[in-house]
Amino acid sequence: MADLSADGRARLLDITRVRLFYSASVTPFAGMAFIVWFYLQGQDISWLLVELAAYLLGVWRLFVLRQRYLADRASLDSETVLEKWLPIVKRIAVLHGFGLALVVFLTAGKVTFEFAAVLHITYAGTIAANATHQTPVWGVFLRFFLCCWGPVVLMMPWTVPEHWHFVLLMGVLFGVAMYRHGITSHRFFVQQMKLEEDSAALAKRFRAAKEEAEQALQDKNRFLTTASHDLRQPVHAMGFLIQAIAHRNRDETLNGPLRDLQQSVRSVDLMFNSLLDLSKMEAGAVIAQRTPVLLDAIIKDVATMFREEANSRGLDLRIRIARREAVVLGDASLIRRCLINLTHNALRYTPHGGVLLSVRRRRGSWLLEVWDTGIGVALEEQKNIYTPFYRNAYSWGIDSAGHGLGLAMVARSAKIMEAGYGLDSVEGRGSRFWLSLPAMKHLKTGHTGSNNATTMSLTRLVPLSGSCLVIDDDPLVAKAWQSLMEAWGVEVHCAASGAEAFEVLRGGFQPQAILCDQRLRSGESGFEVFQALLEACPESGGAMVSGEFHSPVLEQAERDGYLVLRKPLQPPQLHAVLSQWLEPTEAAAESDRSGSAG
């Protein structure tokens, strides 16, 4: 920040102060749920109530400080504001960080693993959000980060004594990742401020900036192509662990937090998929299929996917389909992803009212539309709305406002399919985003490209009976595999390499299903290990499970008839695959027969 003017540094302080004050203000209200949960476990909540009272007093104090800060910004020069308020904001960051860590200290060793897990995940989410929005002034975020996450990690042997070995490792790795992400975000804010301050010389530097952006895009695409497997691993493991906890859970008070956690993981999955899809499109790795697609099925599936989220926010999510079948010529997966992103975007920017998904015939095309009653898009911003990483001024005040990837992915998909797309919006009244796809005159039954989604649910899946061998070299992911499989009643053995897998077989284990990752740390090919295991166990079924989206080996495996599943794999999808090779337990089968008889 040293090369920025005082005005630029003061504007960065404005952004940091807003985020810090907001985070500290909502903390006591979010903490009330944990206090109630702690009380229901029969624990003494006296000290937690004292801390809650202190936080509420702090919220009132923050309101006063906000008024003084705004008054000073209006009357004092930027240098004076920085000299006066930067130390104050840093002290607030320290107090907020230690205040959050104190909750972990007060509950350590007194709660269940589920309580500790949800508390730690909540803190991780808070750190992640602040690592993006609180970093314009690096010193503020660094103090908050060290004072909050540092003590939380150090106390993990006491907070999760039975699992602290791998939880501590996850905490350290997460801390390193958030530290690096915070540095990246800080540099981004500083760079944006520098670009604004240097706007007079922007025309001269345009060509060099364009070349740098293109190189950065190529580097990013190359990185995502090679590292997508490792990036998908945590999301894959989190989905399995949530389902395993939900399957074992008998406490109804946990259903709400688990659903919220599952919704958060789904949001991460949507954002990550959009990023990867956009990178594949930019790299020219996506070739659109031109097959008949039934829009009615897709629009119903997407509405089902987002129904619970809309209801939880008091929004009305409706669909309107045509009287006759809306069949277009296009790529079902791309159309589906476009509609998911448009719906997600509409719900995000609609504080009240509702969202409508509709299909209408227009001349020789079908219009796929998403209407909302949200904040709308200002006229001067509409030309940039489909640009990658673009976010309008309103979005910076929303924690869940994404990273400006969804609409960019829609635009790229439409161009690949040679479809029309656009936006009509009135600021303050709402927006209409649309795709125009060529209509098909006739449709042969059974030839639509629409594929139904598996909606995420906490419903316990039918227990299975059988054995499964999993080859995955990531110990945390292997732990998630084992936890979920055991919750379903499956006897499971995990191995990190081909040698370990064959050692398991020599020990007498006979798997009915074999699931193998492609990228193994030992350097061996997962597909070659998988083929050798199937040859050794001819009666077993199996599939490759990988996070790599552009692997020639896996593409060839699919062409050869092998089943390839992509991470992050949803538990219902995994359950459906395993059901081909494993039998439901006798109790589950009897329940199914009773239900059929009734």
Side-chain angles (χ1 to χ4, degrees):
M1 291 174 54
D3 52 348
L4 290 177
S5 67
D7 289 338
R9 287 182 283 126
R11 291 172 65 188
L12 292 180
L13 181 61
D14 291 341
I15 301 172
T16 300
R17 180 203 63 81
V18 169
R19 175 62 202 180
L20 176 62
F21 280 25
Y22 171 81
S23 178
S25 298
V26 302
T27 293
F29 304 98
M32 290 179 184
F34 286 99
I35 294 176
V36 172
W37 191 1
F38 191 69
Y39 174 76
L40 293 176
Q41 294 187 4
Q43 301 293 335
D44 182 8
I45 61 173
S46 301
W47 285 108
L48 289 177
L49 291 176
V50 171
E51 182 180 5
L52 177 63
Y55 251 108
L56 290 174
L57 181 63
V59 171
W60 172 81
R61 180 62 178 168
L62 288 178
F63 177 77
V64 175
L65 289 175
R66 174 183 177 274
Q67 303 304 317
R68 294 179 180 175
Y69 180 88
L70 295 177
D72 285 348
R73 284 292 280 143
S75 59
L76 302 178
D77 62 271
S78 297
E79 196 69 53
T80 304
V81 169
L82 287 168
E83 183 178 352
K84 176 181 179 180
W85 282 97
L86 185 56
I88 296 175
V89 174
K90 288 180 177 179
R91 286 197 294 271
I92 294 173
V94 170
L95 292 174
H96 182 33
F98 277 127
L100 287 174
L102 184 59
V103 176
V104 177
F105 176 80
L106 294 175
T107 59
K110 302 176 184 178
V111 295
T112 62
F113 173 74
E114 289 80 7
F115 183 101
V118 174
L119 182 62
H120 282 72
I121 290 172
T122 301
Y123 279 21
T126 302
I127 293 293
N130 283 281
T132 298
H133 301 292
Q134 199 188 97
T135 52
V137 180
W138 175 245
V140 174
F141 170 74
L142 185 61
R143 284 165 172 79
F144 167 77
F145 174 70
L146 293 177
C147 294
C148 176
W149 195 247
V152 168
V153 171
L154 292 175
M155 286 188 286
M156 282 179 177
W158 292 272
T159 54
V160 283
E162 296 180 359
H163 309 284
W164 73 271
H165 303 84
F166 64 89
V167 174
L168 179 61
L169 177 61
M170 291 178 65
V172 172
L173 293 176
F174 176 81
V176 172
M178 288 300 101
Y179 180 86
R180 296 183 63 181
H181 176 58
I183 291 177
T184 303
S185 297
H186 170 67
R187 290 173 178 170
F188 172 78
F189 280 108
V190 173
Q191 183 181 22
Q192 290 297 108
M193 195 59 62
K194 289 177 63 178
L195 287 174
E196 291 183 16
E197 291 187 338
D198 297 338
S199 58
L202 185 60
K204 182 178 179 180
R205 300 201 309 265
F206 174 78
R207 183 172 302 173
K210 180 176 180 292
E211 293 176 354
E212 291 178 4
E214 290 175 347
Q215 183 60 47
L217 181 62
Q218 294 175 5
D219 293 342
K220 183 256 297 180
N221 290 338
R222 189 180 303 112
F223 167 76
L224 288 175
T225 299
T226 56
S228 63
H229 173 273
D230 294 333
L231 293 173
R232 286 184 182 272
Q233 291 283 71
V235 180
H236 177 74
M238 288 172 65
F240 279 15
L241 289 172
I242 293 170
Q243 186 67 32
I245 293 173
H247 193 90
R248 293 186 174 95
N249 177 44
R250 297 298 183 271
D251 186 351
E252 292 185 358
T253 61
L254 292 179
N255 289 338
L258 283 174
R259 276 193 296 268
D260 292 342
L261 179 59
Q262 192 173 49
Q263 178 63 33
S264 298
V265 173
R266 190 185 72 167
S267 296
V268 171
D269 189 20
L270 287 173
M271 183 193 72
F272 188 61
N273 285 336
S274 294
L275 177 61
L276 292 177
D277 289 342
L278 184 60
S279 298
K280 287 190 288 185
M281 293 173 186
E282 290 171 341
V286 175
I287 300 176
Q289 304 293 323
R290 294 182 66 83
T291 59
V293 179
L294 183 61
L295 294 182
D296 295 354
I298 292 181
I299 204 170
K300 291 176 182 177
D301 287 345
V302 174
T304 301
M305 181 184 299
F306 287 99
R307 186 83 63 192
E308 183 175 347
E309 178 182 347
N311 291 339
S312 67
R313 295 179 49 202
L315 300 176
D316 184 20
L317 178 60
R318 297 183 294 119
I319 65 174
R320 183 176 64 197
I321 59 179
R323 294 181 180 178
R324 52 178 173 168
E325 287 187 332
V327 184
V328 299
L329 191 63
D331 188 298
S333 62
L334 290 181
I335 295 173
R336 180 181 184 79
R337 175 60 63 185
C338 287
L339 187 57
I340 287 175
N341 287 351
L342 290 176
T343 306
H344 196 208
N345 185 75
L347 290 172
R348 179 190 301 150
Y349 292 103
T350 303
H352 53 79
V355 173
L356 171 66
L357 313 183
S358 73
V359 177
R360 293 191 297 165
R361 184 66 181 262
R362 282 295 180 269
R363 297 191 179 93
S365 302
W366 284 101
L367 279 182
L368 185 60
E369 302 169 301
V370 178
W371 301 71
D372 67 66
T373 60
I375 62 171
V377 182
L379 184 61
E380 62 273 14
E381 293 183 325
Q382 292 184 15
K383 63 180 181 297
N384 298 320
I385 202 69
Y386 285 103
T387 304
F389 303 104
Y390 177 78
R391 296 173 63 190
N392 60 30
Y394 179 85
S395 68
W396 291 104
I398 306 176
D399 282 345
S400 60
H403 292 72
L405 297 171
L407 294 180
M409 182 267 168
V410 172
R412 296 296 175 90
S413 298
K415 291 177 181 178
I416 289 175
M417 293 187 292
E418 299 180 355
Y421 68 96
L423 159 70
D424 298 310
S425 183
V426 177
E427 190 172 8
R429 297 182 59 182
S431 304
R432 178 183 77 103
F433 290 86
W434 54 268
L435 282 174
S436 177
L437 298 154
M440 288 283 292
K441 294 183 178 180
H442 303 287
L443 174 67
K444 296 181 180 179
T445 303
H447 285 77
T448 60
S450 175
N451 54 335
N452 294 335
T454 302
T455 55
M456 300 180 71
S457 171
L458 287 177
T459 304
R460 295 185 181 90
L461 299 170
V462 175
L464 301 171
S465 176
S467 55
C468 182
L469 175 61
V470 176
I471 301 90
D472 197 307
D473 61 354
D474 190 317
L476 300 182
V477 176
K479 187 71 176 179
W481 276 108
Q482 187 167 359
S483 179
L484 179 60
M485 294 280 201
E486 290 177 349
W488 287 343
V490 176
E491 182 184 2
V492 59
H493 280 265
C494 294
S497 64
E500 289 186 20
F502 279 100
E503 186 66 28
V504 170
L505 296 183
R506 284 192 291 270
F509 182 67
Q510 295 294 324
Q512 295 169 258
I514 301 172
L515 302 173
C516 184
D517 194 5
Q518 165 61 10
R519 184 182 297 182
L520 302 177
R521 292 181 185 173
S522 57
E524 59 188 334
S525 167
F527 182 54
E528 292 178 0
V529 172
F530 179 61
Q531 288 178 306
L533 289 171
L534 288 180
E535 184 176 350
C537 305
E539 301 299 324
S540 301
M544 294 293 296
V545 185
S546 177
E548 297 184 63
F549 65 77
H550 186 59
S551 168
V553 174
L554 294 180
E555 291 172 0
Q556 183 61 47
E558 287 185 294
R559 287 193 291 269
D560 292 341
Y562 291 94
L563 178 61
V564 178
L565 305 174
R566 304 291 178 176
K567 294 179 180 178
L569 184 61
Q570 300 300 333
Q573 183 184 4
L574 172 62
H575 188 278
V577 171
L578 288 177
S579 298
Q580 302 177 54
W581 308 309
L582 309 181
E583 297 293 333
T585 61
E586 294 184 5
E590 180 63 30
S591 175
D592 289 343
R593 287 193 293 268
S594 298
S596 299

